[in-house]
Amino acid sequence: AVAAASTLALVVLLVARAVRRRASASLPPPAGPAARVALDPRARGAIAWVVEADEEAAAGRYAEAARKLYLAVLAHQDARGAIDARPGRSNGEHLRSYKGPAGFLPPFRAATVAFDAARYGGHDVGQAEWIALRHDSQPLLPGARFERGEEV
């Protein structure tokens, strides 16, 4: 009787956990201040975004890695004064209002188009897309050649 009661309690606990997980997975993304911070390039420095992006990629979460990598690009370009990375601005608005060195507009445009295609293109972001995004974004991140005064 004790074993049966223990087994029943364990089954109830496991079912309750599964229901809770399924319910939380179906909830919409958080709204309010937490959601705004999660999408705000200014919420942390570019290097922190890059570290998070690389961690996501190492875990195989390439779509999330791509999002955080582009947030790193936006954060760094904002810190340099090339864009105004306020939350709510579209990637197109960032491109149209770019005021950084002219030589860096083409890589910024390429990174933005590649990110948009990966994020909103209707297909999964895989390892190959991640590697291409990481490579194309490199000139726009801290420590890149332009940081040392070199041309692209």
Side-chain angles (χ1 to χ4, degrees), residues 130-149:
W130 162 251
I131 290 169
L133 284 169
R134 187 70 170 86
H135 177 267
D136 293 345
S137 298
Q138 194 59 38
L140 303 164
L141 296 169
R145 291 184 314 185
F146 72 79
E147 294 294 321
R148 298 187 300 268

Side-chain angles (χ1 to χ4, degrees), residues 20-97:
R20 214 174 309 131
R21 255 183 278 187
R22 190 171 294 132
S24 67
S26 65
L27 293 174
R36 283 190 295 276
V37 167
L39 298 175
D40 184 354
R42 297 172 173 176
R44 55 186 64 88
I47 292 173
W49 284 119
V50 170
V51 168
E52 288 184 32
D54 288 341
E55 288 171 353
E56 294 288 354
R61 294 185 294 267
Y62 299 113
E64 187 62 18
R67 184 177 74 87
K68 289 183 177 182
L69 180 64
Y70 192 68
L71 287 168
V73 167
L74 294 177
H76 190 56
Q77 295 306 304
D78 179 79
R80 295 180 64 243
I83 63 169
D84 181 13
R86 286 189 315 255
R89 294 193 79 187
S90 72
N91 294 338
E93 288 173 307
H94 292 309
L95 278 174
R96 286 188 297 278
S97 65

Side-chain angles (χ1 to χ4, degrees), residues 11-35:
V11 168
V12 168
L13 176 67
L14 292 175
V15 168
R17 282 186 183 171
V19 167
R20 214 174 309 131
R21 255 183 278 187
R22 190 171 294 132
S24 67
S26 65
L27 293 174

